[in-house]
Structures are given as C-alpha cells and as structure tokens.
Amino acid sequence: MLTYVGKGYTSGFVENYDRVAARLNAGEEDIELVDGPDDICTGLLCESHAHCFNEGVVQRDEAARLSVSTLLNETLAPGKRLRARPDFLAKMRLAFAAGDIRQACRGCQWIRLCDRIAASGFAGVKIGERLQTTAKPATHCSNHPMLRPKDGWFGRKL
C-alpha cells in the first residue's frame, strides 16, 4: 500500500486498487486489518490458483503485521482500523525506507519495484503523497540491500 503506483497483476487488479486508493485518499474509509484476502485482492480471487491464499503470502502478511505492531507500539489484529492520514503514511514510509518494516518483503515478486519507489522518496504513489525530504547525494544513500535499487544507485547491476 505504501508503494502502490498503479502497477499490479492484471488491469482489473489495478482498476480495483485505484478505486480503493481513491476512497482512502478521499477519507471515505479507514484501513481495516483483516485475516486473509482484503478489498485489494478482490480482482484476483476468481482465479483458479489465487496466490492470496498461498502460505508464503500468509507468512508475509503476518510478518508485516508484527513489524508494524512493533513500530506503532500496539498489537494489531483483524478488525483494527487505521486512518490513512498524511502523518501516519509519512511515518510508515519513513520506516519502510529505513528497512524497519520490510521483513514481509522477503520473497515478494514486487520487491525490486518497491525498492525503487522507496529510493525515489515514494514518487508517484497513489495513496497519500510522496515523502517530502531533501535529496541526499548518492554517496550518502543507504547500502541496506533491501533499499538499493535493482540497478544500483549509479545504474550498475548489483
């Protein structure tokens, strides 16, 4: 959600996610934690082998819940509602960019895209706004492997 820029599994998935993003941005609803597939997954659930039910996805969801619970210093459980306010999203994006809530990213097919979005200061995100930070020279960029863009800071393959 922090790195959603309009890319996804299928055009139907993207159209649905764009609707969810618009509702969140309009303040029409909160983020509600659920156990299992959510409103974002709706477009994929009709597939014969919907990956939303795979054990790896379940494990990544749990890792995300635990790391965000730690960051917020509260136990997050299904039914918990979070408001997608600018200050909340900024806190989450800063933690994401720092690698503090990236445990769930391991094994995800979208990790390289999310790495690039985080490295860009979250340019082009569709939920909330990009981080308002001052640009740092490339020599000060993090060397954390989860934060480096796929092609390296200087366009070289890693």
Side-chain angles (χ1 to χ4, degrees), residues 37-48:
D38 56 21
D39 287 350
I40 295 168
C41 299
T42 300
L44 300 174
L45 298 179
C46 60
E47 295 178 359
S48 60

Side-chain angles (χ1 to χ4, degrees), residues 31-126:
I31 300 164
E32 181 180 354
L33 301 180
V34 298
D35 188 17
D38 56 21
D39 287 350
I40 295 168
C41 299
T42 300
L44 300 174
L45 298 179
C46 60
E47 295 178 359
S48 60
H49 300 290
H51 86 276
C52 301
F53 298 104
N54 291 349
E55 186 59 29
V57 173
V58 172
Q59 290 171 353
R60 285 195 304 275
D61 284 351
E62 179 63 6
R65 185 189 69 77
L66 291 173
S67 62
V68 174
S69 289
T70 300
L71 176 70
L72 299 178
N73 199 29
E74 67 176 285
T75 302
L76 299 179
K80 173 71 175 174
R81 299 178 84 77
L82 302 166
R83 174 111 14 218
R85 295 183 321 265
D87 60 325
F88 173 77
L89 291 173
K91 177 178 183 169
M92 297 297 293
R93 286 191 171 117
L94 285 170
F96 186 89
D100 297 339
I101 56 172
R102 299 285 308 262
Q103 294 80 0
C105 299
R106 292 181 189 100
C108 177
Q109 72 187 64
W110 298 98
I111 191 169
R112 298 286 190 199
L113 174 63
C114 294
D115 289 346
R116 289 190 299 273
I117 293 165
S120 76
F122 297 88
V125 293
K126 291 203 169 197

